[in-house]
Amino acid sequence: MRFQNSVLFFFLLFILSVNAQQMEEYAHPWEGKLENSKTFHFTVTIENLGFEDATFKISNDHSIINYPFKKANITQINIPFAENLFFEGTIAPNGKEINGFIKSGLLLYHLKLTKRKNNSFVGIWNVLMVDELKSQKFFLSIENGSDNDYQAYPIFGDNRFTGTWCTNFQKENNKITFNDFKTGLQFKGTLLTNEIQLEIFLGNHLITQVNLIKSTTDWKIGGFSTNNKKSKLSLVEMENLISKDSLPNTHSVLISRNGKLIYENYFDGYDANVPHDMRSSSKSISSAIVGIAQDQSLFKSVEQSIFDFLPAKYQIQKDRIKEKINIQSLLTMSSGLDAIDYGINANPKSPAVEDNYQMANDWTAAVLSAPMINNPNTKANYGSANPYLLGIAMDSLISEPLELFMDQNLFQKLAISNYIIQTDLNGDPYFGGGMYLTPKDMLKFGELYLNKGKWNSKRIISEKWIESSFKNYRVLENTKDKNGYGYLWWHNIYQSNGKSIESIEARGAGGQYIFVVPSLKTVVIITSGNYRNGKTQQPETIFETYILPYLEN
């Protein structure tokens, strides 16, 4: 009896100690190491397609998901392989590949699965955007710990992955859970004395486990060298400044002239295979999708009101001024809505500012409820709510998922397969920005516009749409340089050897630029990581100071 009482005593003591764990005890930086640099490099396989034993598989160095399914549609596939995760795709007419997307979190990861034997198709999914981590270090910052409350932020030692957006922090006894709503990864931790055992899941399927201890030194993240090509061109000074961090966080520079790649270099560990966060420079891709839709007569005119495309529940927002918001006004940032969200000129109280409407449960209702500050098609003010509404309009026109339309009508035709689309809360492509393309694929897109809608001599977008897109409609009132603006394309003028050179540009926060220079028959790509240091326009300096003189000589 005494022995039983002792056992019971120590058991209760253990339970009390577990329940007594308070999150302030764990509010520290933690670190560990992933076992494998390719842990998040997944092989995706569809086996025995068309047969009763068809299976959808995801694996790395071990099997993660093995999901049996039946395909009902002859050409389209939809596989809900885990909770809140699915694959959708279309089989090519020749039956040799499947192009589709894995929807995980806020991202649509494009996959091209190629046919192998036994009617099986195989492709690659890099959930962290890179095929192999350059650092296996893993960090966890637990913050604001109090009782059972906390926030936790996983950080990978390889900063080419753009980071997690974690939420839904829960604690029960010595267990913590949270998820990254960007990638869809799930995290489950066990709190031990001076240690956290953290498991990472895809749905309910374990990917890996990492043991974390308290950090005693500052974290080292990134700083990877690249075996960049030493240029024989007159761009050596630019390369030296990038290597010395005088042109900080420059990730890639590519130049094509007359359709030929004449310069290509990568820095900070980046390479040709890493899709880069384009931020708002993908707004110009959104413009292309609108053009393709009009070319296919899916809508009549850019003069149509946005309310022609919206469900009945939003018609209550229509009044005599707002009903004049048309497709063209959204393409030119001239809706008149108080949607300004560029830099210090943003209105922090407007429901249509990006940081505000993205916190709402219904983004469309939030944007449309914003007050009007101008009549439509009179003055331009940069704001992501304008192209967001374009995405809603395009989605209303297309019977298939919008991402499949984009893939079939633009990306496949440009031979682009390694890319990612960010979505809105409904899981639809977000036209306000946030796609991930490799710099070489960004170059292809720029050349499509330089060649007036043709790629490899094949028409993809009408020449009329390209001309309309590149027209300078009006000045962006809320920008420092008062740039001209087209259909989601910026205008700028540079000086070189006493001459003015006009460039038409896709631009994204942090320094993501596609320069299209018709007078020089040139496209330039610069990608960067200057998100918080005030150097987001650094590519303009690089372009004017180093690239234009080379092109002029």
Side-chain angles (χ1 to χ4, degrees):
M1 188 70 174
R2 183 177 299 173
F3 174 75
Q4 291 177 332
N5 289 337
S6 298
V7 171
L8 179 61
F9 172 78
F10 284 111
F11 176 75
L12 290 173
L13 185 63
F14 172 75
I15 294 295
L16 288 171
S17 66
V18 167
N19 288 331
Q21 288 174 320
Q22 304 297 305
M23 286 311 299
E24 55 260 38
E25 300 175 24
Y26 292 87
H28 298 282
W30 299 80
E31 63 182 82
K33 186 177 181 180
L34 298 166
E35 290 185 0
N36 193 322
S37 63
K38 288 195 171 185
T39 293
F40 298 94
H41 174 79
F42 300 142
T43 299
V44 177
T45 307
I46 296 178
E47 290 185 351
N48 303 318
L49 184 64
F51 296 94
E52 287 294 321
D53 57 346
T55 308
F56 181 85
K57 296 182 176 181
I58 295 178
S59 61
N60 46 24
D61 58 348
H62 64 277
S63 176
I64 298 172
I65 289 176
N66 195 321
Y67 180 82
F69 72 97
K70 293 182 179 181
K71 183 176 76 68
N73 191 297
I74 295 175
T75 58
Q76 287 197 11
I77 303 170
N78 195 297
I79 306 170
F81 60 86
E83 184 179 2
N84 298 320
L85 298 162
F86 65 83
F87 173 82
E88 62 180 1
T90 56
I91 304 172
N94 62 13
K96 293 184 178 180
E97 65 183 37
I98 299 172
N99 282 279
F101 297 87
I102 284 182
K103 175 67 168 63
S104 183
L106 278 181
L107 301 178
L108 288 160
Y109 295 85
H110 183 266
L111 273 67
K112 182 167 75 172
L113 308 180
T114 305
K115 190 173 184 180
R116 305 284 175 86
K117 61 182 180 180
N118 300 327
N119 217 32
S120 296
F121 296 79
V122 180
I124 297 299
W125 175 26
N126 291 315
V127 70
L128 300 186
M129 292 82 169
V130 296
D131 54 4
E132 184 172 9
L133 294 167
K134 286 184 174 289
S135 170
Q136 292 170 235
K137 291 182 178 179
F138 181 91
F139 306 101
L140 182 69
S141 177
I142 295 183
E143 302 173 10
N144 301 318
S146 176
D147 296 330
N148 289 333
D149 296 328
Y150 68 99
Q151 286 93 45
Y153 302 101
I155 299 169
F156 292 83
D158 189 337
N159 63 341
R160 297 177 303 163
F161 167 57
T162 55
T164 57
W165 300 346
C166 286
T167 187
N168 195 26
F169 306 104
Q170 304 289 329
K171 179 179 181 292
E172 184 175 354
N173 297 329
N174 70 329
K175 304 290 185 181
I176 59 172
T177 60
F178 52 96
N179 64 281
D180 174 23
F181 73 89
K182 183 169 77 171
T183 64
L185 294 175
Q186 308 285 325
F187 297 86
K188 298 180 181 179
T190 301
L191 305 177
L192 304 173
T193 303
N194 298 320
E195 184 181 352
I196 298 176
Q197 293 179 349
L198 190 69
E199 296 175 314
I200 307 176
F201 290 81
L202 193 59
N204 292 319
H205 304 269
L206 180 66
I207 300 172
T208 191
Q209 176 180 307
V210 56
N211 294 328
L212 306 174
I213 60 173
K214 289 181 181 179
S215 299
T216 57
T217 59
D218 292 339
W219 294 347
K220 184 177 180 181
I221 300 169
F224 309 118
S225 61
T226 303
N227 294 323
N228 56 300
K229 305 166 187 175
K230 292 300 179 182
S231 176
K232 296 180 181 179
L233 311 174
S234 56
L235 297 175
V236 175
E237 184 181 358
M238 176 195 75
E239 294 169 356
N240 289 337
L241 290 171
I242 292 172
S243 66
K244 294 175 181 176
D245 211 29
S246 297
L247 293 170
N249 303 314
T250 299
H251 296 160
S252 72
V253 178
L254 287 77
I255 306 171
S256 71
R257 194 165 196 180
N258 296 315
K260 293 183 178 180
L261 182 65
I262 62 172
Y263 181 83
E264 177 185 11
N265 231 328
Y266 300 91
F267 311 90
D268 270 4
Y270 284 78
D271 58 46
N273 299 317
V274 179
H276 203 283
D277 188 352
M278 294 177 67
R279 299 293 176 102
S280 287
S281 61
S282 65
K283 286 179 169 68
S284 301
I285 295 176
S286 302
S287 174
I289 300 304
V290 177
I292 290 169
Q294 187 176 51
D295 290 344
Q296 296 184 10
S297 301
L298 297 181
F299 67 97
K300 295 178 182 178
S301 166
V302 294
E303 296 177 357
Q304 283 182 258
S305 169
I306 184 59
F307 288 94
D308 291 352
F309 306 91
L310 298 179
K313 67 178 181 178
Y314 298 117
Q315 299 299 323
I316 192 173
Q317 301 284 357
K318 182 168 66 175
D319 57 32
R320 64 180 183 84
I321 298 179
K322 286 186 177 179
E323 70 177 349
K324 295 177 183 178
I325 300 172
N326 59 23
I327 297 298
Q328 186 175 74
S329 71
L330 297 171
L331 286 164
T332 57
M333 299 290 180
S334 308
S335 66
L337 287 166
D338 188 3
I340 301 170
D341 60 18
Y342 192 72
I344 60 173
N345 297 299
N347 179 354
K349 295 182 180 180
S350 173
V353 171
E354 190 168 16
D355 286 346
N356 292 339
Y357 71 75
Q358 290 190 356
M359 298 300 292
N361 291 327
D362 187 329
W363 291 11
T364 304
V367 170
L368 292 173
S369 69
M372 299 293 290
I373 55 175
N374 297 302
N375 288 323
N377 286 306
T378 58
K379 292 186 177 182
N381 283 283
Y382 188 92
S384 295
N386 293 285
Y388 164 71
L389 288 177
L390 287 173
I392 300 302
M394 295 305 102
D395 190 52
S396 74
L397 300 172
I398 297 165
S399 57
E400 70 216 83
L402 179 55
E403 60 271 17
L404 292 180
F405 177 86
M406 295 167 67
D407 185 57
Q408 293 162 3
N409 291 280
L410 179 63
F411 294 114
Q412 285 189 40
K413 292 183 177 182
L414 291 173
I416 294 174
S417 61
N418 183 15
Y419 71 95
I420 301 163
I421 300 175
Q422 184 178 316
T423 69
D424 61 21
L425 291 182
N426 295 320
D428 299 316
Y430 176 53
F431 271 37
M435 292 189 65
Y436 296 73
L437 264 67
T438 68
K440 271 193 172 179
D441 289 339
M442 292 169 68
L443 192 75
K444 289 179 184 178
F445 181 70
E447 288 189 346
L448 172 68
Y449 271 72
L450 180 67
N451 295 326
K452 299 181 179 180
K454 285 187 174 182
W455 171 255
N456 285 344
S457 302
K458 293 183 180 180
R459 174 68 60 190
I460 297 178
I461 307 176
S462 68
E463 184 173 349
K464 181 181 178 182
W465 183 263
I466 303 298
E467 291 174 349
S468 297
S469 298
F470 277 3
K471 182 179 176 182
N472 189 344
Y473 290 87
R474 50 189 64 90
V475 167
L476 289 171
E477 303 282 345
N478 62 324
T479 60
K480 180 184 69 173
D481 299 326
K482 298 293 187 286
N483 299 84
Y485 205 68
Y487 282 1
L488 304 181
W489 284 91
W490 296 71
H491 284 248
N492 205 6
I493 296 176
Y494 299 90
Q495 302 301 316
S496 179
N497 295 327
K499 293 190 294 185
S500 295
I501 306 293
E502 183 176 3
S503 173
I504 304 159
E505 302 165 2
R507 295 185 182 184
Q512 327 314 326
Y513 276 64
I514 303 174
F515 300 85
V516 180
V517 192
S519 65
L520 299 178
K521 298 180 180 179
T522 293
V523 177
V524 175
I525 305 299
I526 300 177
T527 61
S528 322
N530 292 308
Y531 301 110
R532 298 177 184 87
N533 60 4
K535 295 182 180 292
T536 195
Q537 291 180 261
Q538 179 176 273
E540 296 170 43
T541 301
I542 294 173
F543 179 73
E544 185 171 55
T545 307
Y546 305 104
I547 295 174
L548 275 181
Y550 158 69
L551 293 170
E552 291 272 276
N553 291 330

